[in-house]
Amino acid sequence: MAFEYEKYLRMDKIPHLWCPGCGIGIVLKAMLRSVENVGWDKNDISFVSGIGCTSRAPGYIDCNTLHTTHGRALSFATGVKLAKPDKNLVVFSGDGDATAIGGNHFIHACRRNIDMTLVVVNNNVYGMTGGQHSPTTPIGYKTNTTIYGNIDPTFDICLLAKAAGASYVARATVNKGRVLEKYITKGFQNKGFSVIVATANCHTQFGRKNKMSDPISSRKWIESREIPLEKARTMKAAELKDKVITGEFTTDEAETTFWENYNSPVHEYTEAYAKIIEKVQEK
Amino acid sequence: MSDKINIPEHYERWDADVKVGKNDDKVAIGYWRDGCKGCGICVDLCPKKIWELIEAKDKWNGQVVRMTDASKCIKCMLCEIHCPDFCLKIY
Ligand SMILES: Cc1ncc(C[n+]2csc(CCOP(=O)(O)OP(=O)(O)O)c2C)c(N)n1
Ligand code: SF4
Ligand code: SF4
Ligand code: SF4
Ligand SMILES: [Mg+2]
């Protein structure tokens, strides 16, 4: 049966500003269904964000909302939670918001294991500001600030969250809205800091630079990189290069060596930089 | 399946008798054209390929969708769950 999103939306603000086919809307819908799943009254929700395309989400939702400063959503949310511990805190961040400018707030929120749910919409780029690379832009991909291909190794947000102490960590893609809903619901139910990473498309900024400028081809790119955790466990580290592992990361104790293999350094930075100089000078 | 169909007046609507698995069922499909951005995700995801992109000169990116044959719908909800713009309702 159809879900009545209108109940939670500020309908005078819809249609939202996101590009046609942007993944953020799909994540927001999964979040609203999760609210219904756990039965929260919308007056008991504080929905907080920083700055970015993702961070526009609270503007569309009819509950207590805070649109704060870039990277600092978790700090404001921590303040709200400490002042009003009975409120249910939900935070939406982009990959830049959560892991670049807000990276320190992020690990410390994990470390504190403060009871709130962070949904990171990871579209591998700074969408809002014109497509600069972010800490999750995969190696080799082009953005406005990595025009010869990115050489910065990526953060795996789930591993980072888990290592820093978040008590529920999961990842799903915007191709699987029902799975996103399941994980966000479990995040809401977890008493502690929950991180759900939604792997999403920004075809407008990231796709455009990498020969997938429409939503469908960007979504298919995401699909082609997805490996469920159970399957990933049976694969070699080399086969997992450039892949996105989806599933729940905190429900059982994963083998440490497995994660070390998966997350080992890709290259030494100065060598990679030298190679890029070489490549550019050849032109 | 549901006795309460809540499709607003301003939605386009298609009703049909359908089969869900082996069972007879009914479907009511609602579509909000004003909200639709013609992204094509519903067209791509529908296993029955019954959403179709059509030209729309009044739209920013020149296209919207239409339902071609509601009687083939299997009520999988894939289109509704993944429309980023709150435009689809399947009852
Ligand atoms: C203190 C500060 N620095 C920089 C900016 C500019 N800025 C706005 S959004 C953004 C990055 C957005 O990227 P991300 O968090 O991934 O969100 P997305 O737009 O991709 O959803 C930046 C750098 C800002 N608004 N404030
Ligand atoms: S720029 Fe990218 S992230 Fe921002 S609305 Fe458009 S597709 Fe979405
Ligand atoms: S519910 Fe499934 S079969 Fe019916 S129109 Fe949507 S995607 Fe197609
Ligand atoms: S998924 Fe939604 S916005 Fe996109 S074409 Fe279909 S109805 Fe329109
Ligand atoms: Mg981003």
Side-chain angles (χ1 to χ4, degrees):
Chain A
M1 201 176 80
F3 187 89
E4 289 177 27
Y5 297 100
E6 289 79 359
K7 178 163 126 187
Y8 297 100
L9 294 174
R10 293 176 180 151
M11 280 312 285
D12 56 327
K13 298 278 190 292
I14 304 283
H16 50 59
L17 57 56
W18 296 315
C19 303
C22 173
I24 303 168
I26 297 170
V27 185
L28 186 60
K29 287 172 68 174
M31 194 281 280
L32 295 177
R33 296 193 301 275
S34 303
V35 166
E36 185 107 340
N37 291 344
V38 295
W40 288 346
D41 187 300
K42 55 186 185 178
N43 293 315
D44 292 332
I45 303 169
S46 287
F47 190 13
V48 186
S49 72
I51 299 290
C53 291
T54 304
S55 298
R56 296 300 292 254
Y60 303 113
I61 305 303
D62 182 24
C63 66
N64 306 295
T65 57
L66 260 184
H67 189 192
T68 71
T69 59
H70 192 30
R72 271 78 205 181
L74 287 170
S75 312
F76 286 91
T78 299
V80 173
K81 186 69 183 175
L82 293 180
K84 302 246 176 219
D86 55 328
K87 295 290 176 212
N88 301 305
L89 268 291
V90 183
V91 180
F92 260 44
S93 275
D95 42 313
D97 200 55
T99 66
I101 191 169
N104 222 350
H105 299 294
F106 173 69
I107 54 175
H108 290 285
C110 294
R111 176 171 65 86
R112 289 196 179 107
N113 197 32
I114 185 164
D115 185 21
M116 59 177 68
T117 299
L118 169 68
V119 177
V120 183
V121 178
N122 180 10
N123 52 20
N124 311 105
V125 79
Y126 292 179
M128 174 159 275
T129 44
Q132 296 83 358
H133 72 298
S134 86
T136 63
T137 302
I139 295 235
Y141 284 84
K142 292 181 181 169
T143 68
N144 265 339
T145 46
T146 56
I147 54 174
Y148 303 110
N150 176 41
I151 60 165
D152 288 22
T154 55
F155 271 148
D156 184 299
I157 305 176
C158 290
L159 296 191
L160 189 60
K162 188 172 150 74
S167 46
Y168 180 79
V169 179
R171 173 163 42 223
T173 78
V174 290
N175 294 319
K176 295 180 182 161
R178 283 285 193 212
V179 182
L180 269 176
E181 173 187 340
K182 183 174 125 194
Y183 293 166
I184 298 174
T185 302
K186 284 181 137 184
F188 286 174
Q189 286 161 342
N190 174 44
K191 184 108 186 107
F193 195 68
S194 305
V195 178
I196 292 89
V197 177
T199 305
N201 56 301
C202 173
H203 48 287
T204 303
Q205 299 297 1
F206 183 78
R208 182 168 60 91
K209 293 283 180 190
N210 296 287
K211 300 195 175 76
M212 43 189 180
S213 56
D214 65 288
I216 309 300
S217 58
S218 277
R219 286 169 58 88
K220 297 227 186 299
W221 174 71
I222 291 171
E223 194 181 325
S224 73
R225 298 170 80 226
E226 179 182 1
I227 309 274
L229 180 54
E230 289 320 310
K231 188 175 174 210
R233 286 188 201 285
T234 67
M235 292 167 67
K236 295 197 176 68
E239 298 170 322
L240 290 173
K241 216 167 154 262
D242 197 32
K243 297 292 188 236
V244 175
I245 297 183
T246 52
E248 294 171 288
F249 290 69
T250 38
T251 42
D252 61 354
E253 268 312 313
E255 311 88 318
T256 323
T257 43
F258 170 80
W259 288 120
E260 276 167 5
N261 286 338
Y262 168 54
N263 203 32
S264 59
V266 196
H267 55 216
E268 199 280 308
Y269 194 79
T270 47
E271 284 175 11
Y273 190 55
K275 275 189 205 149
I276 275 286
I277 292 173
E278 222 174 80
K279 188 169 149 190
V280 176
Q281 285 180 342
E282 268 166 21
K283 289 194 170 214
Chain B
M1 159 195 157
S2 129
D3 38 8
K4 197 173 129 273
I5 295 175
N6 191 0
I7 296 178
E9 293 262 298
H10 59 282
Y11 273 52
E12 286 175 37
R13 176 170 167 167
W14 299 271
D15 288 83
D17 293 321
V18 294
K19 283 246 186 254
V20 174
K22 290 199 172 81
N23 301 326
D24 290 325
D25 203 342
K26 285 183 185 309
V27 72
I29 301 176
Y31 166 62
W32 182 37
R33 188 187 183 283
D34 284 347
C36 173
K37 294 177 185 163
C39 70
I41 289 178
C42 53
V43 178
D44 180 60
L45 289 184
C46 176
K48 295 294 164 187
K49 296 291 164 220
I50 48 183
W51 288 109
E52 179 185 62
L53 278 166
I54 51 168
E55 195 181 291
K57 291 215 167 71
D58 58 319
K59 287 284 188 172
W60 179 77
N61 71 344
Q63 53 189 25
V64 291
V65 294
R66 95 187 155 96
M67 174 49 57
T68 58
D69 188 354
S71 70
K72 290 194 183 135
C73 175
I74 54 168
K75 301 179 83 167
C76 68
M77 309 299 276
L78 278 174
C79 60
E80 180 184 308
I81 297 279
H82 297 92
C83 169
D85 277 273
F86 306 97
C87 301
L88 300 177
K89 290 182 181 292
I90 311 281
Y91 284 95

